[in-house]
C-alpha cells in the first residue's frame, strides 16, 4: 500500500445543492454578465478548494448523478418521485460546475443509470487497499461505505467545518457496523428518497433491533421475540422492507472506467484561472488568490525562523 497517497472523492451533487440553497434563500444568485447564475458553482468550488487545502490529497475526483432515472426507479417507481425539479437558476449550473471542475483538472465521473453515491462507493472500494480514501459529502447515507482506509467527511455549517467518521469512530458512536447501517436505513425508510421502510418503525427502534439481532434476517428469524406491535408491523411490511434494503444499499460494482492517474492533484493550473476569469467567478478568484499566496509564503518561509 502506498501510505503517502490520499484520494479525495467529492460528492458533486451534494456540494452543489448545498452551495446553491445556502445563498438562493436570500436571492443571491450572483448572475454574471452573460446572464448565467453562478451562486451554486462558486460555493461548490469554494467547498472543493477548501477541502483540498485542508486535506492535501494527492488525488481528487468529483462524482455526479447522470439524470434522474437509475436502476432504483426500475425497482421502485416512486423512488425520489417526491422531489421537485431543481429551480431554474440551478439547472444551468450542473453543466457549469462540471466545466469549472474540469478546468481545475478534476475528473468528472458519472454513469447513466447510477447515482453519484454508487460511483463513489465503487471507486472507494477499489482503491482503499492501496491508498487512503476520503469521501466528502453532506449525505449520511455514505457512512455505509466506511471501511479500512475509507473515511467519510460530512460538511457542517459554513466552509471548512467538517465531521469525519472512520469505521471505528462510527462503531463507537452508533454501536453497529457501517454495513449494518444499510439495514437500519431499510427499516426506518428515507422520506427524502421516497421509500417507506417498515411503516411505524422509526430511527430509534431500527437501531435497537439491528443492535439486538444483527441483520434484517436475524430480526425476522427471531420475530417472536419482538413486541406484538413490532411483530405486526414487520409481518405487514416485510415485502417493502426487502425492497427498501435494495434501495438503501450503495452499489459498489458500477461498470465505470477509472484510472487513478487521471485524478492526480498537482495544484491550480493556468487553465483554471482563465476559466474563473471568463465566467466571472469572483468568489472562486479570491479563494484561488488566497491559496496561491499561502503556497508562495510556505515556500519562502524559513522553517528555522
Amino acid at each position: 500500500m502506498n501510505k503517502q497517497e490520499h484520494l479525495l472523492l467529492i460528492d458533486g451533487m451534494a456540494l452543489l445543492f448545498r452551495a446553491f440553497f445556502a445563498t438562493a434563500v436570500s436571492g443571491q444568485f450572483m448572475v454574471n454578465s452573460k446572464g448565467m447564475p453562478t451562486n451554486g458553482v462558486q460555493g461548490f468550488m469554494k467547498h472543493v478548494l477548501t477541502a483540498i487545502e485542508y486535506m492535501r490529497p494527492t488525488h481528487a475526483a468529483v462524482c455526479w448523478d447522470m439524470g434522474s432515472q437509475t436502476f432504483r426507479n426500475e425497482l421502485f417507481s416512486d423512488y425520489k418521485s417526491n422531489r421537485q425539479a431543481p429551480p431554474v437558476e440551478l439547472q444551468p449550473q450542473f453543466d457549469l460546475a462540471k466545466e469549472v471542475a474540469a478546468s481545475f483538472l478534476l475528473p468528472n465521473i458519472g454513469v447513466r443509470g447510477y447515482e453519484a453515491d454508487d460511483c463513489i462507493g465503487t471507486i472507494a472500494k477499489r482503491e482503499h487497499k492501496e491508498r487512503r480514501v476520503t469521501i466528502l459529502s453532506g449525505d449520511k447515507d455514505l457512512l455505509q461505505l466506511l471501511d479500512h482506509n475509507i473515511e467519510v467527511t460530512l460538511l457542517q455549517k459554513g466552509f471548512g467545518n467538517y465531521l469525519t467518521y472512520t469505521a471505528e469512530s462510527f462503531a463507537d458512536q452508533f454501536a453497529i457496523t457501517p454495513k449494518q447501517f444499510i439495514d437500519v436505513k431499510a427499516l426506518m425508510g428515507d422520506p427524502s428518497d421516497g421509500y417507506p421502510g417498515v411503516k411505524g418503525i422509526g430511527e430509534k427502534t431500527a437501531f435497537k433491533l439491528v443492535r439486538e439481532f444483527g441483520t434484517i434476517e436475524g430480526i425476522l428469524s427471531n420475530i417472536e421475540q419482538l413486541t406484538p406491535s413490532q411483530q405486526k408491523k414487520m409481518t405487514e411490511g416485510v415485502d417493502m422492507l426487502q425492497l427498501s434494503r435494495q434501495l438503501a444499499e450503495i452499489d459498489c460494482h458500477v461498470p465505470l472506467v477509472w484510472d487513478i492517474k487521471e485524478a492526480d492533484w498537482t495544484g491550480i493550473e493556468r487553465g483554471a484561472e482563465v476559466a474563473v476569469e471568463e465566467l466571472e467567478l469572483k468568489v472562486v478568484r479570491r479563494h484561488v488568490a488566497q491559496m496561491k499566496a499561502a503556497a508562495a509564503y510556505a515556500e519562502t518561509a524559513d522553517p528555522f525562523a
Side-chain angles (χ1 to χ4, degrees), residues 124-142:
K125 296 295 184 178
R126 283 187 196 177
E127 297 295 335
H128 77 111
K129 291 176 184 174
E130 299 296 326
R131 51 191 56 82
R132 178 183 166 204
V133 178
T134 299
I135 297 165
L136 178 66
S137 181
D139 185 357
K140 291 180 181 177
D141 290 354
L142 288 157

Side-chain angles (χ1 to χ4, degrees), residues 12-227:
M13 303 304 294
L15 269 62
L16 182 61
F17 271 91
R18 188 185 191 93
F20 175 83
F21 286 108
T23 50
V25 289
S26 54
Q28 300 174 51
F29 294 115
M30 304 180 192
V31 179
N32 66 16
S33 63
K34 297 171 187 172
M36 173 79 78
T38 62
N39 65 315
V41 172
Q42 299 215 64
F44 160 74
M45 281 309 305
K46 188 174 178 182
H47 276 306
V48 169
L49 294 173
T50 299
I52 286 174
E53 199 173 14
Y54 175 73
M55 299 178 193
R56 301 191 179 281
T58 56
H59 300 79
V62 189
C63 293
W64 302 93
D65 292 353
M66 299 292 286
S68 60
Q69 294 298 303
T70 70
F71 72 93
R72 292 180 179 85
N73 297 97
E74 295 174 14
L75 291 171
F76 184 52
S77 60
D78 285 340
Y79 183 73
K80 290 190 176 180
S81 64
N82 56 340
R83 295 195 181 183
Q84 296 179 334
V88 291
E89 296 87 357
L90 175 57
Q91 290 174 19
Q93 296 192 62
F94 291 110
D95 288 339
L96 189 62
K98 293 175 188 175
E99 180 186 332
V100 176
S103 77
F104 279 81
L105 304 184
L106 293 165
N108 289 302
I109 298 162
V111 177
R112 292 210 172 274
Y114 297 90
E115 296 180 37
D117 290 5
D118 301 313
C119 294
I120 290 170
T122 298
I123 295 171
K125 296 295 184 178
R126 283 187 196 177
E127 297 295 335
H128 77 111
K129 291 176 184 174
E130 299 296 326
R131 51 191 56 82
R132 178 183 166 204
V133 178
T134 299
I135 297 165
L136 178 66
S137 181
D139 185 357
K140 291 180 181 177
D141 290 354
L142 288 157
L143 293 172
Q144 65 181 267
L145 297 174
L146 290 166
D147 203 338
H148 168 68
N149 254 10
I150 298 177
E151 61 187 18
V152 174
T153 295
L154 299 176
L155 296 172
Q156 304 299 289
K157 191 172 182 180
F159 290 89
N161 298 315
Y162 307 116
L163 178 59
T164 298
Y165 286 95
T166 63
E168 293 75 22
S169 68
F170 178 86
D172 288 345
Q173 182 172 340
F174 297 105
I176 61 170
T177 66
K179 189 173 181 180
Q180 286 176 310
F181 187 50
I182 304 169
D183 286 2
V184 169
K185 291 281 296 181
L187 284 161
M188 62 185 274
D190 189 335
S192 67
D193 284 343
Y195 62 89
V198 177
K199 193 173 181 181
I201 299 288
E203 182 178 5
K204 188 175 178 182
T205 302
F207 270 103
K208 180 177 180 294
L209 292 174
V210 171
R211 286 180 190 128
E212 191 169 349
F213 299 105
T215 62
I216 286 170
E217 291 74 20
I219 298 168
L220 294 172
S221 61
N222 292 281
I223 198 164
E224 72 284 350
Q225 295 185 40
L226 307 186
T227 66

